[in-house]
Amino acid sequence: NTADRTFNNLSQYPVFPWIFTDYTSSSLDLDNPEIYRDLTKPIGALTKKRLETLLDRYREMVEPRFLYGSHYSTPGYVTYYLMRSQPDLMLCLMGGKFDH
């Protein structure tokens, strides 16, 4: 099983990690190692400032403490990204209507 991910459960939908660091260039040289992020670190620790912000918030919390306030694979996020290819999922999440 691929890290216990499944297309049948929106909270366990397969997630492709963000691997690039360059989002501004008009083209990418995929052979250049500088365009890839360091996958040995979680997304919250990519920069010292980002990690310090998370750790400061963590230290100020009451129990139970956590570093990340949301999960990257929630049903809401997944259905938002799949809305064009599978609008029925969004309809299910929104009570059968796109608008009031």
Side-chain angles (χ1 to χ4, degrees):
N1 197 330
T2 311
D4 293 320
R5 299 277 167 210
T6 175
F7 290 104
N8 299 320
N9 182 340
L10 292 178
S11 65
Q12 294 297 319
Y13 206 81
V15 175
F16 187 76
W18 291 32
I19 61 169
F20 296 116
T21 60
D22 182 355
Y23 292 97
T24 58
S25 298
S26 59
S27 65
L28 294 176
D29 176 8
L30 299 178
D31 293 322
N32 178 3
E34 296 296 314
I35 67 162
Y36 299 101
R37 82 170 178 89
D38 183 356
L39 293 174
T40 64
K41 297 178 181 177
I43 201 81
L46 290 180
T47 66
K48 286 182 182 183
K49 182 178 182 343
R50 191 174 182 148
L51 179 58
E52 259 321 298
T53 301
L54 282 172
L55 290 174
D56 286 344
R57 189 185 74 176
Y58 177 83
R59 289 181 196 110
E60 295 172 1
M61 282 182 193
V62 296
E63 295 290 337
R65 294 181 176 156
F66 54 87
L67 282 178
Y68 301 104
S70 66
H71 195 268
Y72 54 80
S73 183
T74 64
Y77 292 153
V78 172
T79 54
Y80 173 77
Y81 288 114
L82 293 175
M83 191 163 80
R84 290 189 181 207
S85 66
Q86 297 183 27
D88 54 311
L89 294 177
M90 183 61 83
L91 284 172
C92 184
L93 188 69
M94 304 302 280
K97 299 179 182 177
F98 283 118
D99 292 318
H100 298 294

